[in-house]
Amino acid sequence: GGPWQEADLADDLGPWSWRRWRATLDLSPGPHAVAARCIAHDGTVQSGERREPFPFGATGHHTVRLRVPS
């Protein structure tokens, strides 16, 4: 539910590969959901709607749930 933040990106391995990333987040203690989305070189923002990969590639934001200890 928070704002999107920029991440540090690993090297670009090609037009069809996933790209590793990392971000330092200041999270309060408790449960959180952290999501990632892609922004293409042309500025197109990845849709949050989930879609199967065939025939045009998967969509949807990858989300992980975590708990920050107090």
Side-chain angles (χ1 to χ4, degrees), residues 2-25:
W4 290 104
Q5 298 180 28
E6 289 191 27
D8 297 318
L9 300 175
D11 292 338
D12 187 351
L13 300 177
W16 302 110
S17 70
W18 289 95
R19 197 160 176 188
R20 293 186 311 177
W21 62 272
R22 69 177 178 194
T24 301
L25 305 174

Side-chain angles (χ1 to χ4, degrees), residues 43-70:
T44 302
V45 178
Q46 178 183 15
S47 167
E49 181 181 339
R50 290 189 173 268
R51 182 181 70 200
E52 293 299 317
F54 183 80
F56 300 111
T59 61
H61 301 152
H62 177 73
T63 303
V64 294
R65 298 190 184 284
L66 54 96
R67 177 177 295 278
V68 176
S70 40

